[in-house]
Amino acid sequence: MPYFSQLDALRFAAALLVVWSHAIGNNAFHHGELGRLGVLVFFLISGFVNYQSLLKDASLSRFGIKRFFRLYPAFMVSLLAAAACWGITIPQLLCNVTMLPSLLGQREAIGVYWTLEIEVLFYLSLLFFSRLELLQRPVFLVAAISAFVTSGLYWQHLRNIGAIHPPDAYRKFLLFFAVLYLGALYGWAWQRSAWKYALFGTVLAMGALSIPSHARLWELATYWMSPVIFWGVLKWGANMPQWISGLGKLAYSMYLFHPFLVQWLPSNWVARCVALPILTIPLAFLVYFLVEDPLNRLGHHLAKAGRD
């Protein structure tokens, strides 16, 4: 699979948007749209990259090993830090260790973990559909997006009429799953320069996310901006300076560890937006070089050994 250095730079930008969203908190209007835009971009990148990675090497075991060592070590450090700093129950800790706490009836130890739960289920679905040899069929990818969109909107309808009373997170889970598969469809379209499926999938996924927004302009804008930003950076960002792409390696640790620093910020929201990245980036740098990078290399080594 070709290395898309510009997507590393985009990862850093997405992580920074999430950091800023949490730094602002409730101190400024539309702060939530920053975080939402960052998460949507993260999901599009994840769908795109993981789809292409699995097509390059169809070994399900090697894909699983690399994904495990990519996500789990830094996650476990953050989970243990959360347990030490904030205190969580043993059942909550054990369910969070699986990275699927809400499916097991427990809350996430840190609020940002909700996206990891979606990511893990996405990986499992990719492995399943790869086994069935469906991932190279654009019609299937569009059908998957349609199924998640339809399920999410129907769930919302049942909730609105009082037929069921689940958390709204279930609707978001289904719709964000559609965004991940939209990223996978982008991966297929990029390989073949076939854009009609990508355009149709974009209208499906982003249109569905927009429906419950009740004409909130800024929220609607984030949904439609995310694919535009993704494609703009992918197509025209290949010549970004290397140091900017290098910062993208810190994005995952920035995402996981910035919540620990929010409580130490000043009250002024502008100062918070300046202080939180300044504090988060060195911490992410430390976690990356002590935990992420060596164990990610180990995962690739084990996957390569399995190939040999």
Side-chain angles (χ1 to χ4, degrees):
M1 187 186 80
Y3 173 58
F4 298 96
S5 61
Q6 64 269 43
L7 294 186
D8 278 341
L10 187 56
R11 278 194 188 95
F12 176 74
L16 199 56
L17 288 174
V18 175
V19 169
W20 276 333
S21 174
H22 293 154
I24 295 170
N26 296 321
N27 295 294
F29 191 48
H30 300 315
H31 69 92
E33 276 67 28
L34 291 176
R36 185 178 296 107
L37 178 59
V39 167
L40 287 168
V41 170
F42 266 132
F43 282 157
L44 288 174
I45 294 172
S46 179
F48 181 90
V49 171
N50 285 291
Y51 173 82
Q52 296 218 3
S53 176
L54 193 53
L55 289 188
K56 178 189 175 185
D57 182 358
S59 168
L60 305 187
S61 61
R62 286 193 292 270
F63 178 83
I65 290 170
K66 288 188 285 187
R67 288 295 89 200
F68 176 86
F69 281 93
R70 172 70 183 89
L71 290 186
Y72 209 77
F75 164 77
M76 276 304 301
V77 173
S78 72
L79 178 58
L80 294 175
C85 291
W86 298 317
I88 58 178
T89 66
I90 296 298
Q92 187 182 10
L93 176 64
L94 294 176
C95 290
N96 272 269
V97 165
T98 68
M99 300 184 82
L100 301 171
S102 67
L103 292 184
L104 300 174
Q106 293 288 336
R107 294 183 61 183
E108 298 91 353
I110 304 177
V112 297
Y113 286 174
W114 70 271
T115 62
L116 301 183
E117 191 163 17
I118 295 176
E119 286 270 352
V120 169
L121 292 172
F122 172 63
Y123 297 156
L124 294 175
S125 72
L126 281 183
L127 293 174
F128 177 74
F129 291 127
S130 176
R131 175 69 70 180
L132 298 178
E133 299 183 350
L134 292 173
L135 292 182
Q136 296 194 52
R137 303 178 183 180
V139 173
F140 167 76
L141 295 174
V142 171
I145 294 170
S146 302
F148 291 123
V149 161
T150 303
S151 300
L153 293 179
Y154 185 62
W155 195 284
Q156 176 68 26
H157 171 70
L158 293 177
R159 190 171 184 266
N160 288 342
I161 65 175
I164 54 176
H165 301 281
D168 190 49
Y170 292 166
R171 174 189 65 85
K172 292 179 180 178
F173 169 84
L174 291 164
L175 295 181
F176 280 126
F177 226 70
V179 176
L180 281 159
Y181 270 91
L182 177 61
L185 181 61
Y186 287 172
W188 179 90
W190 177 264
Q191 289 180 332
R192 296 162 178 79
S193 298
W195 310 116
K196 64 178 181 179
Y197 287 105
L199 180 60
F200 184 64
T202 300
V203 172
L204 269 178
M206 299 307 161
L209 281 166
S210 301
I211 287 174
S213 299
H214 305 298
R216 290 169 56 187
L217 181 60
W218 285 104
E219 186 174 355
L220 290 171
T222 61
Y223 296 137
W224 294 99
M225 283 170 59
S226 57
V228 173
I229 292 171
F230 175 86
W231 278 109
V233 172
L234 181 64
K235 190 169 180 62
W236 293 294
N239 295 321
M240 284 187 181
Q242 188 173 359
W243 67 269
I244 298 179
S245 299
L247 288 173
K249 299 180 185 300
L250 308 181
Y252 183 48
S253 288
M254 287 175 62
Y255 183 78
L256 286 177
F257 288 92
H258 77 273
F260 294 98
L261 304 172
V262 171
Q263 61 184 318
W264 306 107
L265 298 179
S267 57
N268 180 274
W269 72 268
V270 176
R272 291 166 69 90
C273 284
V274 174
L276 189 54
I278 290 175
L279 294 172
T280 300
I281 290 173
L283 178 58
F285 183 88
L286 187 66
V287 174
Y288 176 77
F289 281 99
L290 293 181
V291 180
E292 275 196 79
D293 187 49
L295 289 170
N296 194 27
R297 289 176 185 271
L298 175 61
H300 278 79
H301 174 74
L302 292 174
K304 184 178 180 181
R307 178 183 299 170
D308 298 337

